[in-house]
Amino acid sequence: MRCMRYGAGWSGDVIDATRKDYPHYGGHGIRVCQQWRGSDKPNEWNYSGFEEFEKWAMAHGFKPGMTLDRINNNLGYRPDNTRWVSKKAQAYNRRTNRYLTYQGRTQTLTQWSKELDIPDYTICKRLAKGWSVEKTLSTPRKRFTLLSIPGSSA
């Protein structure tokens, strides 16, 4: 029944316009499939829908601590567009992420930052200055060395 409580949480963001996250879900056109709602009416739910969701969740890797991720963020919650992932993995799949393609690979700005050891703010600043993605990601970050001043005790 843990899955059922979980489903009730995210489903509310899709149908309840008074919830703070509604503009990012229901207000953005995100819907839950009829199978998981258990109803023909778009904003109505019944218990059979949660039972269907729970069956799907258990058959597709649900574990405590995992989050339900929409593979394509422009599509709704349905079996062929959702998966269970860690919170970290889900953070890489957000509509607000900035994706960069470099050397034939596309990743988020944060992923490139970690991989290339270039702070994300440095990447942002370089791009804002009009640097190409190639130059931005191929130019190593500047490293500063602290110098001691003769006669000081540091």
Side-chain angles (χ1 to χ4, degrees):
M1 287 305 182
R2 179 165 162 41
C3 282
M4 198 166 116
R5 285 194 309 271
Y6 185 89
W10 57 258
S11 62
D13 291 334
V14 173
I15 62 169
D16 185 352
T18 65
R19 290 180 59 156
K20 73 175 181 68
D21 286 332
Y22 177 82
H24 304 291
Y25 295 92
H28 190 69
I30 303 303
R31 302 289 179 255
V32 177
C33 67
Q34 180 181 347
Q35 175 186 356
W36 289 352
R37 283 192 326 269
S39 172
D40 292 340
K41 298 176 184 169
N43 291 336
E44 185 177 284
W45 297 78
N46 69 42
Y47 187 77
S48 68
F50 284 118
E51 286 179 324
E52 286 298 314
F53 170 71
E54 187 165 50
K55 284 181 203 172
W56 175 88
M58 292 307 193
H60 289 86
F62 171 78
K63 292 181 187 127
M66 301 293 271
T67 63
L68 189 63
D69 182 50
R70 284 177 292 122
I71 297 164
N72 179 336
N73 285 316
N74 294 315
L75 300 177
Y77 289 95
R78 59 187 200 209
D80 65 339
N81 190 48
T82 50
R83 61 189 171 190
W84 293 104
V85 298
S86 68
K87 288 182 181 184
K88 182 177 182 180
Q90 190 175 39
Y92 290 129
N93 185 27
R94 296 180 61 124
R95 196 179 304 120
T96 57
N97 280 343
R98 183 162 185 189
Y99 289 88
L100 304 174
T101 301
Y102 174 63
Q103 296 182 341
R105 293 176 36 228
T106 301
Q107 299 188 114
T108 66
L109 186 147
T110 302
Q111 289 170 311
W112 284 119
S113 171
K114 289 179 181 176
E115 181 177 321
L116 301 174
D117 193 29
I118 302 171
D120 54 359
Y121 61 85
T122 300
I123 295 172
C124 288
K125 282 175 55 179
R126 289 174 176 179
L127 293 170
K129 287 180 180 179
W131 287 29
S132 69
V133 171
E134 177 78 26
K135 182 178 177 185
T136 295
L137 299 179
S138 64
T139 304
R141 75 182 215 183
K142 292 180 183 175
R143 298 198 184 262
F144 297 96
T145 305
L146 294 176
L147 301 174
S148 60
I149 299 171
S152 70
S153 57

Short mmCIF file of all heavy atoms in Angstrom, two decimals, residues 24-87:
data_model
loop_
_atom_site.label_atom_id
_atom_site.label_comp_id
_atom_site.label_asym_id
_atom_site.label_seq_id
_atom_site.Cartn_x
_atom_site.Cartn_y
_atom_site.Cartn_z
N HIS A 24 3.02 23.15 -12.68
CA HIS A 24 4.09 22.41 -13.36
C HIS A 24 3.62 21.05 -13.87
O HIS A 24 4.32 20.40 -14.63
CB HIS A 24 5.27 22.20 -12.42
CG HIS A 24 5.80 23.48 -11.86
ND1 HIS A 24 6.44 24.41 -12.63
CD2 HIS A 24 5.73 23.99 -10.61
CE1 HIS A 24 6.77 25.45 -11.87
NE2 HIS A 24 6.34 25.22 -10.65
N TYR A 25 2.47 20.62 -13.44
CA TYR A 25 1.95 19.30 -13.81
C TYR A 25 0.62 19.45 -14.53
O TYR A 25 0.58 19.59 -15.74
CB TYR A 25 1.85 18.39 -12.58
CG TYR A 25 3.20 18.09 -11.99
CD1 TYR A 25 3.74 18.88 -10.99
CD2 TYR A 25 3.96 17.03 -12.47
CE1 TYR A 25 5.00 18.62 -10.47
CE2 TYR A 25 5.22 16.76 -11.96
CZ TYR A 25 5.73 17.56 -10.96
OH TYR A 25 6.98 17.30 -10.47
N GLY A 26 -0.49 19.42 -13.80
CA GLY A 26 -1.81 19.55 -14.41
C GLY A 26 -1.94 20.82 -15.23
O GLY A 26 -2.50 20.82 -16.33
N GLY A 27 -1.42 21.92 -14.72
CA GLY A 27 -1.49 23.19 -15.44
C GLY A 27 -0.64 23.22 -16.69
O GLY A 27 -0.81 24.05 -17.57
N HIS A 28 0.31 22.30 -16.78
CA HIS A 28 1.19 22.19 -17.95
C HIS A 28 0.65 21.14 -18.93
O HIS A 28 1.28 20.83 -19.93
CB HIS A 28 2.60 21.83 -17.48
CG HIS A 28 3.64 21.91 -18.53
ND1 HIS A 28 4.07 23.11 -19.08
CD2 HIS A 28 4.35 20.95 -19.18
CE1 HIS A 28 5.00 22.87 -20.00
NE2 HIS A 28 5.17 21.56 -20.07
N GLY A 29 -0.52 20.57 -18.61
CA GLY A 29 -1.12 19.58 -19.50
C GLY A 29 -0.76 18.14 -19.17
O GLY A 29 -1.11 17.23 -19.92
N ILE A 30 -0.06 17.91 -18.08
CA ILE A 30 0.31 16.55 -17.69
C ILE A 30 -0.92 15.86 -17.11
O ILE A 30 -1.61 16.40 -16.25
CB ILE A 30 1.46 16.55 -16.67
CG1 ILE A 30 2.68 17.30 -17.24
CG2 ILE A 30 1.81 15.14 -16.22
CD1 ILE A 30 3.21 16.76 -18.55
N ARG A 31 -1.19 14.65 -17.57
CA ARG A 31 -2.34 13.88 -17.11
C ARG A 31 -1.89 12.49 -16.68
O ARG A 31 -0.79 12.06 -16.98
CB ARG A 31 -3.38 13.74 -18.22
CG ARG A 31 -3.91 15.06 -18.76
CD ARG A 31 -4.80 15.76 -17.75
NE ARG A 31 -5.29 17.03 -18.24
CZ ARG A 31 -4.84 18.22 -17.84
NH1 ARG A 31 -3.89 18.30 -16.95
NH2 ARG A 31 -5.34 19.33 -18.32
N VAL A 32 -2.77 11.80 -15.99
CA VAL A 32 -2.55 10.41 -15.58
C VAL A 32 -3.45 9.54 -16.45
O VAL A 32 -4.62 9.88 -16.67
CB VAL A 32 -2.87 10.20 -14.08
CG1 VAL A 32 -2.71 8.75 -13.69
CG2 VAL A 32 -1.97 11.08 -13.23
N CYS A 33 -2.93 8.43 -16.92
CA CYS A 33 -3.70 7.57 -17.82
C CYS A 33 -4.95 7.02 -17.13
O CYS A 33 -5.02 6.90 -15.91
CB CYS A 33 -2.84 6.42 -18.33
SG CYS A 33 -2.35 5.22 -17.06
N GLN A 34 -5.94 6.67 -17.93
CA GLN A 34 -7.21 6.15 -17.43
C GLN A 34 -7.00 4.89 -16.59
O GLN A 34 -7.65 4.70 -15.57
CB GLN A 34 -8.14 5.87 -18.61
CG GLN A 34 -9.49 5.32 -18.18
CD GLN A 34 -10.38 5.03 -19.38
OE1 GLN A 34 -10.09 5.44 -20.50
NE2 GLN A 34 -11.45 4.32 -19.13
N GLN A 35 -6.08 4.04 -17.01
CA GLN A 35 -5.80 2.80 -16.29
C GLN A 35 -5.42 3.07 -14.83
O GLN A 35 -5.88 2.40 -13.93
CB GLN A 35 -4.66 2.06 -17.00
CG GLN A 35 -4.18 0.81 -16.31
CD GLN A 35 -2.94 0.23 -17.00
OE1 GLN A 35 -2.50 0.71 -18.04
NE2 GLN A 35 -2.39 -0.81 -16.41
N TRP A 36 -4.60 4.08 -14.59
CA TRP A 36 -4.15 4.38 -13.23
C TRP A 36 -5.15 5.25 -12.46
O TRP A 36 -5.10 5.30 -11.25
CB TRP A 36 -2.79 5.04 -13.24
CG TRP A 36 -1.67 4.12 -13.62
CD1 TRP A 36 -1.75 2.76 -13.80
CD2 TRP A 36 -0.32 4.47 -13.87
NE1 TRP A 36 -0.54 2.26 -14.15
CE2 TRP A 36 0.38 3.29 -14.21
CE3 TRP A 36 0.37 5.67 -13.86
CZ2 TRP A 36 1.72 3.27 -14.50
CZ3 TRP A 36 1.73 5.65 -14.16
CH2 TRP A 36 2.40 4.46 -14.48
N ARG A 37 -6.03 5.94 -13.18
CA ARG A 37 -7.09 6.72 -12.51
C ARG A 37 -8.24 5.82 -12.11
O ARG A 37 -8.93 6.08 -11.15
CB ARG A 37 -7.63 7.81 -13.44
CG ARG A 37 -6.77 9.01 -13.58
CD ARG A 37 -7.50 10.16 -14.27
NE ARG A 37 -8.45 9.76 -15.29
CZ ARG A 37 -8.17 9.62 -16.59
NH1 ARG A 37 -6.97 9.85 -17.02
NH2 ARG A 37 -9.11 9.27 -17.43
N GLY A 38 -8.50 4.77 -12.93
CA GLY A 38 -9.63 3.90 -12.68
C GLY A 38 -10.96 4.56 -13.01
O GLY A 38 -12.00 4.17 -12.51
N SER A 39 -10.92 5.59 -13.86
CA SER A 39 -12.12 6.33 -14.19
C SER A 39 -12.01 6.90 -15.60
O SER A 39 -10.92 7.19 -16.08
CB SER A 39 -12.30 7.49 -13.21
OG SER A 39 -13.36 8.34 -13.61
N ASP A 40 -13.18 7.05 -16.25
CA ASP A 40 -13.22 7.68 -17.57
C ASP A 40 -13.09 9.19 -17.48
O ASP A 40 -12.78 9.85 -18.46
CB ASP A 40 -14.54 7.35 -18.28
CG ASP A 40 -14.65 5.88 -18.65
OD1 ASP A 40 -13.60 5.21 -18.72
OD2 ASP A 40 -15.78 5.41 -18.86
N LYS A 41 -13.37 9.73 -16.30
CA LYS A 41 -13.34 11.19 -16.12
C LYS A 41 -11.92 11.64 -15.78
O LYS A 41 -11.30 11.10 -14.87
CB LYS A 41 -14.32 11.60 -15.03
CG LYS A 41 -15.75 11.24 -15.38
CD LYS A 41 -16.69 11.56 -14.25
CE LYS A 41 -18.10 11.10 -14.59
NZ LYS A 41 -18.99 11.15 -13.45
N PRO A 42 -11.38 12.65 -16.48
CA PRO A 42 -9.98 13.07 -16.31
C PRO A 42 -9.59 13.49 -14.89
O PRO A 42 -8.46 13.31 -14.50
CB PRO A 42 -9.81 14.22 -17.28
CG PRO A 42 -11.03 14.30 -18.08
CD PRO A 42 -12.07 13.42 -17.49
N ASN A 43 -10.50 14.07 -14.13
CA ASN A 43 -10.16 14.53 -12.78
C ASN A 43 -10.81 13.69 -11.70
O ASN A 43 -11.01 14.16 -10.58
CB ASN A 43 -10.56 16.01 -12.61
CG ASN A 43 -9.69 16.91 -13.45
OD1 ASN A 43 -8.56 16.55 -13.79
ND2 ASN A 43 -10.19 18.05 -13.80
N GLU A 44 -11.11 12.46 -12.01
CA GLU A 44 -11.72 11.58 -11.03
C GLU A 44 -10.86 10.34 -10.85
O GLU A 44 -10.29 9.83 -11.80
CB GLU A 44 -13.12 11.18 -11.51
CG GLU A 44 -13.89 10.36 -10.49
CD GLU A 44 -15.29 10.05 -10.98
OE1 GLU A 44 -16.13 10.97 -10.95
OE2 GLU A 44 -15.51 8.92 -11.41
N TRP A 45 -10.79 9.87 -9.61
CA TRP A 45 -10.00 8.70 -9.27
C TRP A 45 -10.87 7.72 -8.52
O TRP A 45 -11.78 8.11 -7.82
CB TRP A 45 -8.85 9.11 -8.35
CG TRP A 45 -7.90 10.04 -9.01
CD1 TRP A 45 -8.07 11.38 -9.22
CD2 TRP A 45 -6.66 9.72 -9.59
NE1 TRP A 45 -7.01 11.90 -9.88
CE2 TRP A 45 -6.13 10.90 -10.12
CE3 TRP A 45 -5.95 8.54 -9.72
CZ2 TRP A 45 -4.90 10.95 -10.76
CZ3 TRP A 45 -4.73 8.59 -10.34
CH2 TRP A 45 -4.21 9.78 -10.86
N ASN A 46 -10.52 6.46 -8.63
CA ASN A 46 -11.15 5.50 -7.74
C ASN A 46 -10.13 4.44 -7.35
O ASN A 46 -9.05 4.34 -7.92
CB ASN A 46 -12.44 4.91 -8.33
CG ASN A 46 -12.22 4.01 -9.51
OD1 ASN A 46 -11.29 3.20 -9.52
ND2 ASN A 46 -13.06 4.14 -10.52
N TYR A 47 -10.49 3.64 -6.39
CA TYR A 47 -9.57 2.69 -5.78
C TYR A 47 -8.99 1.71 -6.80
O TYR A 47 -7.82 1.36 -6.73
CB TYR A 47 -10.29 1.93 -4.66
CG TYR A 47 -9.39 1.04 -3.86
CD1 TYR A 47 -8.52 1.58 -2.91
CD2 TYR A 47 -9.37 -0.33 -4.07
CE1 TYR A 47 -7.67 0.78 -2.18
CE2 TYR A 47 -8.52 -1.15 -3.34
CZ TYR A 47 -7.67 -0.59 -2.40
OH TYR A 47 -6.84 -1.39 -1.69
N SER A 48 -9.79 1.28 -7.77
CA SER A 48 -9.28 0.31 -8.75
C SER A 48 -8.10 0.88 -9.53
O SER A 48 -7.19 0.15 -9.91
CB SER A 48 -10.39 -0.13 -9.70
OG SER A 48 -10.80 0.94 -10.53
N GLY A 49 -8.09 2.20 -9.75
CA GLY A 49 -6.97 2.81 -10.43
C GLY A 49 -5.69 2.72 -9.62
O GLY A 49 -4.62 2.42 -10.15
N PHE A 50 -5.79 2.97 -8.32
CA PHE A 50 -4.61 2.85 -7.47
C PHE A 50 -4.13 1.41 -7.39
O PHE A 50 -2.93 1.15 -7.33
CB PHE A 50 -4.88 3.42 -6.08
CG PHE A 50 -4.89 4.92 -6.05
CD1 PHE A 50 -6.02 5.62 -5.69
CD2 PHE A 50 -3.75 5.64 -6.40
CE1 PHE A 50 -6.03 7.01 -5.68
CE2 PHE A 50 -3.74 7.03 -6.38
CZ PHE A 50 -4.90 7.71 -6.03
N GLU A 51 -5.06 0.46 -7.41
CA GLU A 51 -4.66 -0.96 -7.42
C GLU A 51 -3.87 -1.28 -8.69
O GLU A 51 -2.86 -1.98 -8.64
CB GLU A 51 -5.88 -1.87 -7.33
CG GLU A 51 -6.51 -1.90 -5.95
CD GLU A 51 -7.73 -2.80 -5.90
OE1 GLU A 51 -8.49 -2.86 -6.90
OE2 GLU A 51 -7.91 -3.46 -4.86
N GLU A 52 -4.34 -0.76 -9.83
CA GLU A 52 -3.64 -0.97 -11.10
C GLU A 52 -2.24 -0.33 -11.06
O GLU A 52 -1.27 -0.92 -11.53
CB GLU A 52 -4.43 -0.40 -12.28
CG GLU A 52 -5.63 -1.23 -12.65
CD GLU A 52 -5.24 -2.64 -13.09
OE1 GLU A 52 -4.30 -2.79 -13.89
OE2 GLU A 52 -5.89 -3.59 -12.61
N PHE A 53 -2.17 0.88 -10.52
CA PHE A 53 -0.88 1.55 -10.40
C PHE A 53 0.07 0.73 -9.52
O PHE A 53 1.24 0.52 -9.86
CB PHE A 53 -1.03 2.96 -9.83
CG PHE A 53 0.29 3.59 -9.47
CD1 PHE A 53 1.16 3.99 -10.46
CD2 PHE A 53 0.65 3.75 -8.14
CE1 PHE A 53 2.39 4.55 -10.14
CE2 PHE A 53 1.88 4.31 -7.81
CZ PHE A 53 2.75 4.71 -8.81
N GLU A 54 -0.43 0.23 -8.40
CA GLU A 54 0.41 -0.54 -7.50
C GLU A 54 0.90 -1.83 -8.15
O GLU A 54 2.07 -2.20 -8.01
CB GLU A 54 -0.34 -0.85 -6.20
CG GLU A 54 0.57 -1.50 -5.17
CD GLU A 54 -0.02 -1.49 -3.79
OE1 GLU A 54 -1.17 -1.90 -3.63
OE2 GLU A 54 0.71 -1.09 -2.87
N LYS A 55 0.06 -2.51 -8.91
CA LYS A 55 0.48 -3.72 -9.63
C LYS A 55 1.61 -3.38 -10.60
O LYS A 55 2.62 -4.07 -10.68
CB LYS A 55 -0.70 -4.33 -10.41
CG LYS A 55 -1.69 -5.07 -9.58
CD LYS A 55 -2.78 -5.62 -10.51
CE LYS A 55 -4.06 -5.89 -9.75
NZ LYS A 55 -5.16 -6.23 -10.66
N TRP A 56 1.40 -2.29 -11.35
CA TRP A 56 2.43 -1.87 -12.30
C TRP A 56 3.73 -1.53 -11.57
O TRP A 56 4.82 -1.94 -11.97
CB TRP A 56 1.95 -0.65 -13.11
CG TRP A 56 3.02 -0.13 -14.02
CD1 TRP A 56 3.29 -0.53 -15.29
CD2 TRP A 56 4.00 0.85 -13.69
NE1 TRP A 56 4.37 0.14 -15.77
CE2 TRP A 56 4.84 1.00 -14.81
CE3 TRP A 56 4.27 1.63 -12.55
CZ2 TRP A 56 5.90 1.89 -14.84
CZ3 TRP A 56 5.33 2.50 -12.59
CH2 TRP A 56 6.14 2.63 -13.71
N ALA A 57 3.61 -0.77 -10.49
CA ALA A 57 4.80 -0.32 -9.74
C ALA A 57 5.61 -1.51 -9.24
O ALA A 57 6.84 -1.54 -9.37
CB ALA A 57 4.37 0.56 -8.58
N MET A 58 4.95 -2.48 -8.65
CA MET A 58 5.66 -3.65 -8.11
C MET A 58 6.31 -4.47 -9.23
O MET A 58 7.38 -5.03 -9.04
CB MET A 58 4.70 -4.52 -7.30
CG MET A 58 4.25 -3.83 -6.04
SD MET A 58 5.69 -3.26 -5.11
CE MET A 58 4.95 -2.86 -3.57
N ALA A 59 5.68 -4.54 -10.37
CA ALA A 59 6.22 -5.30 -11.50
C ALA A 59 7.35 -4.56 -12.21
O ALA A 59 8.08 -5.16 -12.99
CB ALA A 59 5.11 -5.63 -12.49
N HIS A 60 7.51 -3.26 -11.92
CA HIS A 60 8.50 -2.46 -12.64
C HIS A 60 9.54 -1.82 -11.72
O HIS A 60 10.03 -0.73 -11.99
CB HIS A 60 7.79 -1.38 -13.48
CG HIS A 60 7.08 -1.97 -14.65
ND1 HIS A 60 5.80 -2.46 -14.57
CD2 HIS A 60 7.49 -2.20 -15.92
CE1 HIS A 60 5.44 -2.95 -15.74
NE2 HIS A 60 6.45 -2.81 -16.58
N GLY A 61 9.87 -2.48 -10.64
CA GLY A 61 11.03 -2.09 -9.85
C GLY A 61 10.81 -1.12 -8.71
O GLY A 61 11.78 -0.52 -8.23
N PHE A 62 9.57 -0.94 -8.25
CA PHE A 62 9.36 -0.04 -7.11
C PHE A 62 10.16 -0.51 -5.90
O PHE A 62 10.17 -1.68 -5.56
CB PHE A 62 7.88 0.03 -6.72
CG PHE A 62 7.67 0.78 -5.43
CD1 PHE A 62 7.71 2.16 -5.40
CD2 PHE A 62 7.48 0.10 -4.24
CE1 PHE A 62 7.54 2.85 -4.21
CE2 PHE A 62 7.32 0.78 -3.04
CZ PHE A 62 7.34 2.15 -3.03
N LYS A 63 10.87 0.43 -5.28
CA LYS A 63 11.57 0.20 -4.01
C LYS A 63 11.44 1.48 -3.20
O LYS A 63 11.43 2.57 -3.77
CB LYS A 63 13.06 -0.08 -4.25
CG LYS A 63 13.33 -1.38 -4.93
CD LYS A 63 14.83 -1.59 -5.10
CE LYS A 63 15.08 -2.82 -5.94
NZ LYS A 63 15.92 -2.60 -7.08
N PRO A 64 11.35 1.37 -1.89
CA PRO A 64 11.30 2.59 -1.07
C PRO A 64 12.50 3.48 -1.39
O PRO A 64 13.62 3.00 -1.60
CB PRO A 64 11.36 2.05 0.36
CG PRO A 64 10.79 0.68 0.26
CD PRO A 64 11.25 0.15 -1.09
N GLY A 65 12.27 4.78 -1.46
CA GLY A 65 13.33 5.73 -1.75
C GLY A 65 13.42 6.09 -3.23
O GLY A 65 14.08 7.06 -3.59
N MET A 66 12.78 5.30 -4.09
CA MET A 66 12.80 5.60 -5.52
C MET A 66 11.70 6.61 -5.83
O MET A 66 10.75 6.75 -5.08
CB MET A 66 12.57 4.33 -6.34
CG MET A 66 13.59 3.24 -6.08
SD MET A 66 15.23 3.68 -6.64
CE MET A 66 15.18 3.11 -8.30
N THR A 67 11.84 7.30 -6.95
CA THR A 67 10.81 8.25 -7.36
C THR A 67 10.30 7.86 -8.74
O THR A 67 11.01 7.23 -9.53
CB THR A 67 11.35 9.70 -7.41
OG1 THR A 67 12.38 9.77 -8.39
CG2 THR A 67 11.89 10.12 -6.06
N LEU A 68 9.07 8.24 -9.02
CA LEU A 68 8.47 7.95 -10.31
C LEU A 68 8.86 9.05 -11.28
O LEU A 68 8.59 10.23 -11.05
CB LEU A 68 6.94 7.87 -10.17
CG LEU A 68 6.20 7.37 -11.39
CD1 LEU A 68 6.59 5.93 -11.72
CD2 LEU A 68 4.69 7.46 -11.15
N ASP A 69 9.52 8.67 -12.35
CA ASP A 69 10.08 9.61 -13.32
C ASP A 69 9.36 9.45 -14.65
O ASP A 69 9.16 8.34 -15.12
CB ASP A 69 11.57 9.28 -13.49
CG ASP A 69 12.29 10.21 -14.43
OD1 ASP A 69 12.16 11.43 -14.27
OD2 ASP A 69 13.02 9.71 -15.31
N ARG A 70 8.97 10.58 -15.25
CA ARG A 70 8.42 10.55 -16.60
C ARG A 70 9.60 10.63 -17.57
O ARG A 70 10.41 11.53 -17.49
CB ARG A 70 7.46 11.72 -16.83
CG ARG A 70 6.12 11.50 -16.17
CD ARG A 70 5.18 12.68 -16.32
NE ARG A 70 5.68 13.82 -15.54
CZ ARG A 70 5.99 15.01 -16.04
NH1 ARG A 70 5.83 15.27 -17.31
NH2 ARG A 70 6.46 15.96 -15.27
N ILE A 71 9.69 9.67 -18.46
CA ILE A 71 10.79 9.61 -19.41
C ILE A 71 10.76 10.84 -20.32
O ILE A 71 11.77 11.49 -20.53
CB ILE A 71 10.73 8.30 -20.22
CG1 ILE A 71 10.90 7.10 -19.26
CG2 ILE A 71 11.77 8.28 -21.34
CD1 ILE A 71 10.48 5.77 -19.83
N ASN A 72 9.59 11.15 -20.86
CA ASN A 72 9.39 12.36 -21.66
C ASN A 72 8.55 13.30 -20.80
O ASN A 72 7.38 13.03 -20.55
CB ASN A 72 8.69 12.03 -22.97
CG ASN A 72 8.44 13.26 -23.83
OD1 ASN A 72 8.37 14.39 -23.33
ND2 ASN A 72 8.30 13.05 -25.12
N ASN A 73 9.14 14.41 -20.37
CA ASN A 73 8.46 15.31 -19.45
C ASN A 73 7.27 16.04 -20.06
O ASN A 73 6.50 16.68 -19.34
CB ASN A 73 9.45 16.33 -18.88
CG ASN A 73 10.32 15.70 -17.83
OD1 ASN A 73 9.84 14.95 -17.00
ND2 ASN A 73 11.60 15.98 -17.89
N ASN A 74 7.11 15.97 -21.37
CA ASN A 74 5.95 16.60 -22.00
C ASN A 74 4.76 15.66 -22.10
O ASN A 74 3.69 16.07 -22.52
CB ASN A 74 6.32 17.13 -23.39
CG ASN A 74 7.33 18.25 -23.28
OD1 ASN A 74 7.18 19.14 -22.46
ND2 ASN A 74 8.37 18.20 -24.08
N LEU A 75 4.96 14.42 -21.72
CA LEU A 75 3.87 13.44 -21.74
C LEU A 75 3.46 13.13 -20.31
O LEU A 75 4.17 13.43 -19.36
CB LEU A 75 4.32 12.16 -22.45
CG LEU A 75 4.75 12.33 -23.91
CD1 LEU A 75 5.23 11.00 -24.48
CD2 LEU A 75 3.62 12.90 -24.75
N GLY A 76 2.32 12.48 -20.17
CA GLY A 76 1.76 12.23 -18.85
C GLY A 76 2.28 10.97 -18.17
O GLY A 76 3.21 10.30 -18.63
N TYR A 77 1.63 10.67 -17.05
CA TYR A 77 1.94 9.48 -16.27
C TYR A 77 1.19 8.31 -16.87
O TYR A 77 -0.04 8.26 -16.84
CB TYR A 77 1.52 9.67 -14.81
CG TYR A 77 2.38 10.65 -14.07
CD1 TYR A 77 2.02 11.99 -13.95
CD2 TYR A 77 3.57 10.24 -13.47
CE1 TYR A 77 2.81 12.89 -13.26
CE2 TYR A 77 4.37 11.13 -12.78
CZ TYR A 77 3.99 12.45 -12.68
OH TYR A 77 4.77 13.35 -12.01
N ARG A 78 1.93 7.39 -17.45
CA ARG A 78 1.34 6.19 -18.04
C ARG A 78 2.44 5.13 -18.08
O ARG A 78 3.64 5.47 -18.02
CB ARG A 78 0.78 6.49 -19.43
CG ARG A 78 1.80 7.01 -20.40
CD ARG A 78 1.17 7.45 -21.70
NE ARG A 78 2.19 7.49 -22.74
CZ ARG A 78 2.14 8.29 -23.77
NH1 ARG A 78 1.13 9.12 -23.93
NH2 ARG A 78 3.10 8.27 -24.68
N PRO A 79 2.07 3.86 -18.18
CA PRO A 79 3.07 2.79 -18.08
C PRO A 79 4.25 2.90 -19.04
O PRO A 79 5.38 2.61 -18.66
CB PRO A 79 2.25 1.53 -18.35
CG PRO A 79 0.87 1.87 -17.91
CD PRO A 79 0.70 3.33 -18.26
N ASP A 80 4.01 3.34 -20.27
CA ASP A 80 5.11 3.39 -21.24
C ASP A 80 5.94 4.67 -21.16
O ASP A 80 6.89 4.84 -21.92
CB ASP A 80 4.58 3.21 -22.66
CG ASP A 80 3.66 4.35 -23.10
OD1 ASP A 80 3.12 5.07 -22.23
OD2 ASP A 80 3.48 4.53 -24.32
N ASN A 81 5.63 5.56 -20.22
CA ASN A 81 6.38 6.82 -20.09
C ASN A 81 6.90 7.04 -18.68
O ASN A 81 7.32 8.13 -18.35
CB ASN A 81 5.51 8.01 -20.52
CG ASN A 81 6.32 9.29 -20.64
OD1 ASN A 81 7.39 9.31 -21.25
ND2 ASN A 81 5.84 10.36 -20.02
N THR A 82 6.87 6.02 -17.86
CA THR A 82 7.35 6.19 -16.48
C THR A 82 8.30 5.07 -16.10
O THR A 82 8.29 3.98 -16.69
CB THR A 82 6.17 6.21 -15.48
OG1 THR A 82 5.33 5.10 -15.74
CG2 THR A 82 5.37 7.50 -15.60
N ARG A 83 9.12 5.36 -15.11
CA ARG A 83 10.10 4.40 -14.59
C ARG A 83 10.45 4.81 -13.17
O ARG A 83 10.25 5.96 -12.77
CB ARG A 83 11.36 4.40 -15.46
CG ARG A 83 12.03 5.77 -15.47
CD ARG A 83 13.14 5.88 -16.47
NE ARG A 83 13.57 7.28 -16.56
CZ ARG A 83 14.38 7.74 -17.45
NH1 ARG A 83 14.89 6.93 -18.36
NH2 ARG A 83 14.71 9.02 -17.46
N TRP A 84 10.98 3.88 -12.42
CA TRP A 84 11.45 4.16 -11.05
C TRP A 84 12.93 4.47 -11.10
O TRP A 84 13.71 3.71 -11.66
CB TRP A 84 11.18 2.96 -10.14
CG TRP A 84 9.73 2.72 -9.93
CD1 TRP A 84 8.97 1.73 -10.51
CD2 TRP A 84 8.84 3.47 -9.11
NE1 TRP A 84 7.67 1.84 -10.10
CE2 TRP A 84 7.56 2.90 -9.24
CE3 TRP A 84 9.00 4.59 -8.29
CZ2 TRP A 84 6.45 3.40 -8.57
CZ3 TRP A 84 7.88 5.08 -7.62
CH2 TRP A 84 6.64 4.49 -7.76
N VAL A 85 13.31 5.62 -10.53
CA VAL A 85 14.72 6.02 -10.51
C VAL A 85 15.06 6.65 -9.16
O VAL A 85 14.17 6.98 -8.37
CB VAL A 85 15.04 7.05 -11.63
CG1 VAL A 85 14.80 6.44 -13.01
CG2 VAL A 85 14.24 8.32 -11.47
N SER A 86 16.34 6.84 -8.92
CA SER A 86 16.77 7.54 -7.71
C SER A 86 16.44 9.02 -7.86
O SER A 86 16.24 9.52 -8.96
CB SER A 86 18.28 7.38 -7.52
OG SER A 86 18.98 8.08 -8.54
N LYS A 87 16.44 9.74 -6.74
CA LYS A 87 16.17 11.18 -6.80
C LYS A 87 17.24 11.90 -7.62
O LYS A 87 16.94 12.85 -8.34
CB LYS A 87 16.08 11.76 -5.39
CG LYS A 87 14.82 11.34 -4.68
CD LYS A 87 14.71 11.94 -3.31
CE LYS A 87 13.43 11.46 -2.65
NZ LYS A 87 13.20 12.05 -1.35
#
